[in-house]
Every structure is written in structure tokens, then in C-alpha cells.
Amino acid sequence: MSISVLGAGAFGTALAISLAQNGPVTLWARDGEHARQMQATRTNARRLPGVDLPENVSIDADLSLCLAADTLLLAMPMQQMGDFLKTHAEKLGGKTLVSCSKGIDIATGQGPTGLIRAHCPGARAAVLTGPSFAADIARGLPTALTLACTDHSQSLQTALSTPNLRLYRTTDTTGAELGGALKNVYAIAAGTVIGAGLGDSARAALMTRGFAEMLRFALMLGARAETLSGLSGFGDLVLTCTSSQSRNFKLGHALGANEPFDQTITVEGVATAKAVSKLAQSRDIEMPIAAMVTALTEQKISVNDAVQALLARPLKEE
């Protein structure tokens, strides 16, 4: 099985490094100069500094060469995926397309597998998601992820597993992609709690009630509860709500502390919160924390007012 990773950000590069333990991998960089730098220096100084690229990782900006592989890992920002699939749909037919993005397309309200099926109906759609940081994977640290594919493919699971990357498979693509998308929203909220100095007890409460919202929303969209309780849901929620390595947590922390944040950094939770809040409202699903995150990131409410609004909600059974 030949493999290309499309997207030379930190996560795509880390996946290519790990998968190179199994055989040759091609890594596509959108920027030609970036590709030449990586090929010459054998490192991705822009996105994943300090980690060497194995010799059997080929870096190229020529997309047509990368699309020759049987299995394509889509490691690109979620809000760019729809346009990419639409533009290259003809060449992607018959391929196995594994989304490594976490989010919901704000234009359509769809997750990655929905976009793949809409634009590339002849392709096989899968999702690779779960609690992971690029630096950990690239350094060879033990990491467990969920691989979701409707045909329950053991061969794909085997091909994408490496000595440090352990994959658990499921057929619940809806649950896997929603867990990975929704946890980013609550990571922003958790970062805000810590940045505002509200304490770890408040963060624990936020994570618990946030998980309740994740489960409520995902089940309404056809996900299975056990998927949300696994790596791609609860596991990823714990990681991103408790580590300063998380870009979503960092953004929330900056909001809570009233500090500036680098706007060039991709933070998927912002668009996801907006998309989720819109879907939840249209389906009458109660998601007060997600709604507050949307209001905060759109600067429609202050941190203090958001906290007071959540605390003033009617008392209820758990």
C-alpha cells in the first residue's frame, strides 16, 4: 500500500515521520520553496523544528506525483478541505482518503467524511483522530488513535499503525469525527477558565459539562456513545483541555487573560464552535458552553459575562 501525506504542517509531517518506519512515504507541501527547504535540510523548520525527516520520506510540491499513492492522508486545515476535494475530485476517485483534520466545515456543516462523499463519491472515506500532539508522534512517543472507516478495514489499520502509533478501529465515522471536532470547542473554554484564573475545579466542571454537550450533540447526529467515550472523544478532550501544547487551549487562555494571540495560527475550534452552535440551534440541541465560546471568539460577550451567564442557568439534575 503506497501512502502520501497531503499537508506539511506539524501533524502531517509527524505522521509522515512515524509512517516512514513502515516504508516509503511522500509528503506534499503546498509551498514549493518550503518543500525544497525540507528536502535539503531534512527537517521541517517552519512547522516541526528539531526533528529529522527519515530518508524514506520524500517531500514534493508536485501534487500529481503525490496523488499517485493508493492511500492519501489529508492533513490540511478543515476549512480548506472542501475546496481541495472539489478541485481535485477527478484525480481522487478510487483512492482511500483518510482525513486527519478535526473540525466541521462552516460552509456546509459537514464533517470530513461528509465532504469526501459529497465531492469524491468514488473514494473510500476514513478518519484518523484521537489524543495526539505532533511533537509526541514525531519523537516516537507512544500514541493511540482511532481509525474510523465504514468497512471496518483491518488492512488499513495495519498499514497506518507503527511501533509508536497504535490504532483502534471503528465503523462509527460520525462519532469519531465529531469527537475530534467538538473537543476543540471545549479546549478553548478550558483555556479561558485557566487564563481568567478561575481554577482547576472550574476546569474540571467545564470539561465534564462540555463532555455532556458533546455526547448530546453527537448522539442526535447518529454517533455511538461508546465512540465518544473512547480515544476520539473523551481521550482527546482530556488532552486538549489540560495541555498548553493545544492551540485551542492557548487561544482560550489568551482570551481569559486578556492577552494578544497570534492570528496566523490555525485554531479549528473557532470555526467549529460557530458551525456547531448553528447546527445545535437548528435542531433544538442545548449546548450553552459551545454558544458561549462562539460569543467569546466573536467578541460579543466578555469572559466575566459568559461565566456569570453559565452560572446563572437554572439548576437541574445531572
Side-chain angles (χ1 to χ4, degrees):
M1 183 183 293
S2 55
I3 297 174
S4 287
V5 180
L6 306 185
F11 197 68
T13 302
L15 287 174
I17 290 171
S18 186
L19 289 168
Q21 296 175 87
N22 297 343
V25 179
T26 302
L27 177 63
W28 176 65
R30 187 185 302 271
D31 183 339
E33 180 58 31
H34 188 200
R36 287 187 288 272
Q37 288 175 357
M38 284 191 288
Q39 192 74 320
T41 63
R42 303 307 301 170
T43 188
N44 187 348
R46 289 189 193 178
R47 303 297 185 187
L48 197 62
V51 183
D52 294 332
L53 292 166
E55 287 303 316
N56 58 347
V57 173
S58 301
I59 305 100
D60 211 308
D62 186 341
L63 183 59
S64 61
L65 292 177
C66 301
L67 293 183
D70 305 317
T71 300
L72 307 175
L73 274 62
L74 307 180
M76 59 191 64
M78 184 63 203
Q79 303 310 317
Q80 296 178 13
M81 187 179 293
D83 286 341
F84 178 87
L85 294 170
K86 183 178 180 180
T87 300
H88 305 288
E90 186 174 346
K91 295 180 181 179
L92 296 174
K95 304 288 186 180
T96 295
L97 304 180
V98 183
S99 168
C100 305
S101 302
K102 297 175 180 179
I104 295 175
D105 180 54
I106 199 166
T108 64
Q110 292 181 306
T113 57
L115 292 178
I116 292 170
R117 294 181 186 115
H119 297 296
C120 309
R124 177 193 192 194
V127 178
L128 184 62
T129 185
S132 54
F133 288 134
D136 292 347
I137 294 175
R139 289 164 56 203
L141 299 179
T143 304
L145 299 176
T146 296
L147 175 67
C149 188
T150 55
D151 63 9
H152 221 320
S153 174
Q154 190 169 356
S155 61
L156 185 60
Q157 179 188 30
T158 300
L160 299 182
S161 296
T162 72
N164 69 294
L165 198 58
R166 179 177 175 83
L167 305 189
Y168 290 81
R169 69 180 186 271
T170 179
T171 58
D172 183 12
T173 56
T174 299
E177 66 184 21
L178 284 177
L182 293 167
K183 59 89 185 179
N184 285 332
V185 177
Y186 303 103
I188 294 174
T192 303
V193 165
I194 298 302
L198 301 179
D200 287 328
S201 297
R203 172 164 54 182
L206 181 284
M207 290 171 62
T208 305
R209 297 312 304 163
F211 182 69
E213 286 191 18
M214 288 174 60
L215 193 59
R216 186 184 308 131
F217 184 85
L219 292 180
M220 287 289 288
L221 270 65
R224 298 200 294 263
E226 59 266 29
T227 308
L228 272 294
S229 298
L231 291 165
S232 60
F234 178 74
D236 215 353
L237 178 72
V238 170
L239 182 69
T240 50
C241 287
T242 59
S243 175
S244 59
Q245 290 189 65
S246 165
R247 291 169 296 178
N248 292 279
F249 182 89
K250 286 181 181 178
L251 171 63
H253 193 282
L255 288 171
N258 195 27
E259 296 173 348
F261 183 80
D262 186 353
Q263 298 301 316
T264 66
I265 298 175
T266 300
V267 182
E268 294 284 15
V270 175
T272 301
K274 187 174 182 178
V276 164
S277 295
K278 184 178 179 180
L279 280 169
Q281 188 174 19
S282 68
R283 295 172 180 247
D284 197 26
I285 305 173
E286 191 177 27
M287 299 186 73
I289 300 174
M292 287 301 169
V293 170
T294 302
L296 277 172
T297 55
E298 293 181 346
Q299 299 182 327
K300 294 179 178 178
I301 193 172
S302 70
V303 172
N304 185 63
D305 287 345
V307 171
Q308 293 306 314
L310 289 173
L311 291 176
R313 284 173 52 77
L315 299 176
K316 58 187 289 189
E317 290 186 3
E318 187 170 26

